[in-house]
Amino acid sequence: MDWMLKDLAESVPQTRSVVVLSSDGLCMALHGADPDAADRLAAACAGLQSLAAAIAAEFPHSDGRMRMVVIEVTGGFLYLMTAGAGAYLAVLADEGVDAGLMGMRMRDLVARIGAHLTSPPRETESGQ
């Protein structure tokens, strides 16, 4: 999966890092970030997707699931997108990033490999 994340990063100028995370905040794959930074980002994004789902539930015709969250901060953007069952795609990008291109490339990546970006529920030690 590394080459696909690298392809996303290289196809959108100003991309800093790309992380695939599970819904419980574990980093599953990364490009352009050191492992500690990727772990911090994955943990933060797990909380963010939970908040987004709570907000989605306030819309009358919503299924309560988050599709995409974009946060702009001084210095850049965070993009977080649902990537499959129990998996999310997070991207950090600099201020000059083309937001439309980023959204399109992220959707393309998820469409191409969404089934491979899923995180099945963890089993307990008893196998249940």
Side-chain angles (χ1 to χ4, degrees), residues 7-53:
D7 182 56
L8 170 64
E10 291 179 351
S11 69
V12 182
Q14 307 297 319
T15 300
R16 297 176 60 88
S17 56
V18 182
V19 174
V20 176
L21 62 128
S22 64
S23 60
D24 57 356
L26 296 177
C27 178
M28 298 164 49
L30 63 102
H31 173 77
D34 68 73
D36 289 338
D39 286 342
R40 288 190 303 273
L41 181 61
C45 286
L48 184 57
Q49 65 86 16
S50 180
L51 289 171

Side-chain angles (χ1 to χ4, degrees), residues 96-110:
V97 71
D98 180 331
L101 179 60
M102 179 62 77
M104 183 179 72
R105 296 288 188 205
M106 288 177 72
R107 281 189 294 275
D108 289 349
L109 176 61
V110 168

